[in-house]
Amino acid sequence: MQWRALVLGLVLLRLGLHAVLWLFFGLGPSMGFYQRFPLPFGFQRLRDPDGSEPVGPPEGPAWLHRPKRGPEGRLETPREPGPGMCGQAHWGYALGGRGCGPDEYERRYSSAFPPQLRAQMRDLARGMFVFGYDNYMAHAFPQDELNPIYCRGRGPDRGDPSNLNINDVLGNYSLTLVDALDTLAIMGNSSEFQKAVKLVINTVSFDKDSTVQVFEATIRVLGSLLSAHRIITDSRQPFGDMKIEDYDNELLYMAHDLAVRLLPAFENTKTGIPYPRVNLKTGVPPDSNNETCTAGAGSLLVEFGILSRLLGDSTFEWVARRAVKALWNLRSNNTGLLGNVVNIQTGHWVGKQSGLGAGLDSFYEYLLKSYILFGEKEDLEMFNAAYQSIQSHLRRGREACNEGEGDPPLYVNVNMFNGQLMNTWIDSLQAFFPGLQVLIGDVEDAICLHAFYYAIWKRYGALPERYNWQLQAPDVLFYPLRPELVESTYLLYQATKNPFYLHVGMDILQSLEKYTKAKCGYATLHHVIDKSKEDRMESFFLSETCKYLYLLFDEENPVHKSGTRYMFTTEGHIISVDKHLRELPWKDFFEDGERDQEEKFVHRPKSQEFRIINSSSNCNRVPDERRYSLPLKSIYMRQIDQMVGLI
């Protein structure tokens, strides 16, 4: 027994020594996912809660601190790198020190992307969609989602109403089929599109005892119904013959039915900010939560606004716009930032974190996209003010993206009231932001930020849900087939026409095919390091991820060649931008038609008679919005080889 005690003592002593070395010096053995990515010296710990300096070396990435500015207000440039080191202008410095030189980048990415390879990648993206879609129809329809490993369908979790990860999204309304409608059209599959639309009309009902999240039902279902309706009724039919025989606006009527069932969320709130969930049969549940996230409550205006303008009934746009304004009025007077969770009755910020990821992402996105669609100047003014606050308080790193020394720009999570750093992670949803920057013409900054997320993808073959940029390791390890990086890649290619982004898309395609393909579809990665899978294929994989990959490689797609200006919703549903959506068909029917100084109606309108306005005819250009059209005018890219550290 003594020798066993001695061995046990030695083992415990060794583990203790390793723990001390790992915690204080980064020298101990890996705890699993750190193994391949050693921590370099120099990363500084966060300040203690009392504001005192932390114990440890003083050096660290500039992202931990607010930018230092010189006498003229410009960012100070830090020291030059030593011999043989990656400069701080390089993502290789920030993400582990590998891939510093331009030679490998030049060898792999500077050449043109051959047309044959492009066609091959386009067909691979289409095949990826078809494999997932066909298996959903064979094994899961009419349920909401496909379990791709065991080839079964998935619906709401009736046994556990608290399982919000499932029940917020799945409403027992054939979600994956509905969400994929416009992807079928964009890929030119008219026969399957027509078949799918008829299936939706004949089999999908919203008269269900399902409690769903208002946000998810709006962007996935309402948005898809409106997109498919406009594709069917477009007189020009750019995607081929997508008309439905004897179509009588059924999808629009279904969208109206769903929206009416969501309206109770906007009632009985003291702020006008909606409840997060409704039961499609009975309205707001009696035990409903009074807390909601900013993105969930403030990202309804695009879909609700389109519906209102197609129907001539302002009710839906009015409640969505009221929620946006209510949130906007709660922003910090000091920083102009918003938090991520708010109490809908008191207006008190429960979550004070301000960032670009979960809880806030699509709020900013829809301020801009609402303006693009509807032309309301107030939406643009709110977006511009929000963007300025983001640049002032969230953006860390050097001032210029493609020149100078210092850490590359990164957007961090801060306290909404004082702009102080709250944590050292970013989440994968933030990868949408470069695409949004493309839409406003801030392409150079988009190039730089996109490179950071792509560098993480290169390291893992996927984007972990959260990545800790201080520890250079994932905090949350799963990847549910999210589309945000693909979306930004697609938009950046449209803006620059640089073949680099075709190579990025090919990397993403090959990673998805290699690591996520299952027996009957594509599966969530449970762990981006060991590549273990979860048995779930979320609907956005078909509605967004496959769609953006396909469009990236399909240069001749009508989206790019038809002359129609298109915009994508936050769920990737395509909407043509035309003058009809900038008209207010209810303008003459307002009660107490008082206007404010900007000639906007400020009183709630009368509920109008249900009527159809076909706004899918010829799309006219709006000259003063030319800067937002895609593809944007090509720009040259400088020092892209400095951006991607892991190639």
Side-chain angles (χ1 to χ4, degrees):
M1 295 298 294
Q2 291 182 347
W3 68 269
R4 292 184 179 178
L6 180 61
V7 170
L8 179 61
L10 290 173
V11 169
L12 292 175
L13 179 62
R14 182 179 180 184
L15 288 174
L17 179 60
H18 286 162
V20 170
L21 291 172
W22 184 83
L23 286 173
F24 289 97
F25 302 104
L27 297 175
S30 164
M31 296 296 185
F33 54 74
Y34 295 110
Q35 185 172 3
R36 292 169 50 206
F37 318 116
L39 274 73
F41 291 111
F43 281 97
Q44 182 175 339
R45 299 181 184 88
L46 292 173
R47 289 177 176 270
D48 294 329
D50 61 2
S52 60
E53 290 290 336
V55 178
E59 297 298 327
W63 305 325
L64 287 169
H65 312 286
R66 290 188 176 186
K68 296 180 180 180
R69 299 184 180 273
E72 299 180 358
R74 296 185 63 83
L75 293 176
E76 295 180 356
T77 55
R79 64 188 183 280
E80 296 288 334
M85 295 174 58
C86 294
Q88 290 182 347
H90 194 290
W91 277 120
Y93 176 89
L95 293 172
R98 295 190 295 165
C100 303
D103 294 343
E104 190 171 355
Y105 167 79
E106 294 291 346
R107 183 169 63 253
R108 291 189 59 190
Y109 291 115
S110 62
S111 61
F113 205 84
Q116 298 86 349
L117 182 58
R118 186 171 188 152
Q120 182 183 347
M121 292 300 104
R122 179 200 62 207
D123 293 343
L124 179 59
R126 182 196 286 117
M128 184 175 289
F129 171 85
V130 170
F131 185 69
Y133 177 85
D134 285 352
N135 275 287
Y136 165 78
M137 295 303 298
H139 301 289
F141 177 80
Q143 296 190 70
D144 288 306
E145 285 182 350
L146 170 68
N147 289 352
I149 296 176
Y150 288 102
C151 306
R152 299 171 184 166
R154 179 198 295 266
D157 187 351
R158 303 298 190 191
D160 183 10
S162 65
N163 186 0
L164 300 181
N165 184 46
I166 297 296
N167 294 329
D168 272 358
V169 177
L170 310 189
N172 194 20
Y173 37 41
S174 303
L175 174 64
T176 296
L177 175 64
V178 175
D179 213 359
L181 290 177
D182 66 311
T183 308
L184 289 167
I186 285 173
M187 292 185 177
N189 193 340
S190 59
S191 61
E192 191 60 35
F193 174 79
Q194 292 163 350
K195 176 182 175 183
V197 168
K198 291 176 182 177
L199 268 177
V200 169
I201 292 172
N202 294 327
T203 66
V204 173
S205 169
F206 301 121
D207 188 25
K208 299 290 179 64
D209 184 19
S210 298
T211 298
V212 297
Q213 192 183 84
V214 175
F215 171 71
E216 295 290 356
T218 297
I219 66 169
R220 300 202 197 200
V221 183
L222 183 62
S224 185
L225 293 172
L226 294 171
S227 175
H229 167 74
R230 287 172 64 80
I231 289 171
I232 295 167
T233 57
D234 188 340
S235 61
R236 300 196 306 173
Q237 291 293 294
F239 301 109
D241 184 11
M242 301 294 164
K243 294 179 181 178
I244 306 295
E245 186 177 357
D246 299 323
Y247 180 71
D248 191 23
N249 299 305
E250 287 92 344
L251 295 185
L252 185 56
Y253 281 97
M254 292 180 68
H256 176 259
D257 177 43
L258 175 60
V260 168
R261 295 174 186 273
L262 300 178
L263 280 181
F266 297 87
E267 300 172 0
N268 301 316
T269 76
K270 296 177 181 178
T271 61
I273 302 170
Y275 286 92
R277 297 171 185 87
V278 296
N279 184 286
L280 296 177
K281 249 187 196 303
T282 62
V284 177
D287 58 348
S288 184
N289 190 354
N290 284 328
E291 296 174 1
T292 190
C293 71
T294 304
S299 305
L300 310 172
L301 184 52
V302 165
E303 289 83 2
F304 274 48
I306 293 171
L307 181 63
S308 275
R309 292 173 189 238
L310 293 180
L311 299 178
D313 182 348
S314 61
T315 303
F316 307 101
E317 180 173 340
W318 186 84
V319 295
R321 191 172 291 281
R322 180 182 63 169
V324 171
K325 291 180 179 178
L327 288 164
W328 183 249
N329 290 334
L330 294 174
R331 70 194 187 280
S332 167
N333 292 329
N334 181 37
T335 64
L337 298 173
L338 294 88
N340 58 348
V341 180
V342 67
N343 186 296
I344 66 173
Q345 302 296 351
T346 66
H348 173 72
W349 287 106
V350 180
K352 300 175 177 62
Q353 176 175 300
S354 191
L356 299 178
L360 276 158
D361 49 353
S362 55
F363 176 80
Y364 300 123
E365 177 185 1
Y366 269 23
L367 289 179
L368 178 61
K369 290 185 175 180
S370 295
Y371 172 68
I372 295 173
L373 276 180
F374 309 133
E376 298 286 348
K377 292 183 180 179
E378 185 179 28
D379 295 334
L380 181 61
E381 290 167 358
M382 286 189 288
F383 175 80
N384 285 337
Y387 194 71
Q388 181 59 49
S389 295
I390 289 168
Q391 296 299 314
S392 298
H393 299 286
L394 272 60
R395 189 182 190 274
R396 304 292 170 88
R398 64 177 182 266
E399 185 173 21
C401 173
N402 287 322
E403 60 186 12
E405 291 297 326
D407 291 321
L410 182 70
Y411 292 84
V412 299
N413 300 318
V414 303
N415 185 294
M416 64 172 288
F417 293 109
N418 56 32
Q420 294 295 321
L421 187 69
M422 289 193 71
N423 51 58
T424 59
W425 52 260
I426 53 93
D427 65 51
S428 63
L429 290 170
Q430 292 177 241
F432 92 99
F433 198 66
L436 189 65
Q437 291 180 307
V438 168
L439 295 184
I440 62 170
D442 196 356
V443 180
E444 183 172 336
D445 210 52
I447 290 169
C448 199
L449 184 60
H450 173 274
F452 174 71
Y453 297 104
Y454 176 50
I456 299 173
W457 184 284
K458 289 289 292 182
R459 176 174 285 186
Y460 302 107
L463 269 187
E465 191 72 352
R466 283 186 185 176
Y467 180 82
N468 191 308
W469 46 260
Q470 185 183 23
L471 299 178
Q472 304 173 43
D475 275 352
V476 180
L477 288 142
F478 70 89
Y479 168 65
L481 308 175
R482 291 200 188 278
E484 284 75 18
L485 179 61
V486 184
E487 176 186 9
S488 290
T489 302
Y490 164 65
L491 292 173
L492 272 165
Y493 178 72
Q494 291 300 313
T496 66
K497 298 300 180 184
N498 192 295
F500 168 75
Y501 295 105
L502 299 177
H503 287 277
V504 173
M506 183 169 66
D507 275 349
I508 294 173
L509 258 175
Q510 292 173 340
S511 295
L512 290 172
E513 193 71 18
K514 180 178 181 180
Y515 299 125
T516 72
K517 192 170 186 178
K519 180 180 178 181
C520 296
Y522 293 84
T524 292
L525 284 183
H526 175 72
H527 196 295
V528 297
I529 307 299
D530 65 24
K531 302 300 187 294
S532 57
K533 299 180 180 71
E534 292 182 16
D535 196 13
R536 187 178 186 186
M537 186 179 81
E538 293 222 37
S539 67
F540 54 65
F541 177 70
L542 299 183
S543 71
E544 297 185 81
T545 308
C546 292
K547 178 185 294 163
Y548 288 128
L549 284 168
Y550 180 80
L551 286 173
L552 174 64
F553 296 106
D554 189 20
E555 186 74 8
E556 302 302 315
N557 194 278
V559 172
H560 310 134
K561 297 293 186 180
S562 68
T564 299
R565 288 152 50 90
Y566 290 104
M567 189 193 80
F568 294 95
T569 70
T570 195
E571 184 70 8
H573 297 305
I574 193 165
I575 299 292
S576 57
V577 181
D578 59 63
K579 66 178 182 179
H580 298 283
L581 290 180
R582 294 198 164 200
E583 297 172 351
L584 295 175
W586 56 81
K587 185 179 295 185
D588 297 331
F589 295 93
F590 272 74
E591 295 178 324
D592 305 323
E594 298 179 11
R595 301 170 184 260
D596 60 15
Q597 293 180 352
E598 296 180 356
E599 293 298 296
K600 293 187 179 71
F601 289 101
V602 294
H603 289 280
R604 180 168 182 166
K606 296 177 181 178
S607 180
Q608 299 305 317
E609 191 177 278
F610 186 79
R611 56 195 178 95
I612 306 298
I613 297 175
N614 187 345
S615 64
S616 300
S617 57
N618 191 23
C619 303
N620 292 357
R621 291 186 176 271
V622 184
D624 60 338
E625 298 311 316
R626 206 167 296 159
R627 65 182 295 199
Y628 298 112
S629 63
L630 289 177
L632 297 174
K633 184 178 181 180
S634 295
I635 64 167
Y636 74 93
M637 297 172 61
R638 293 173 296 164
Q639 301 176 350
I640 188 66
D641 52 306
Q642 291 188 356
M643 297 301 114
V644 182
L646 299 175
I647 299 177

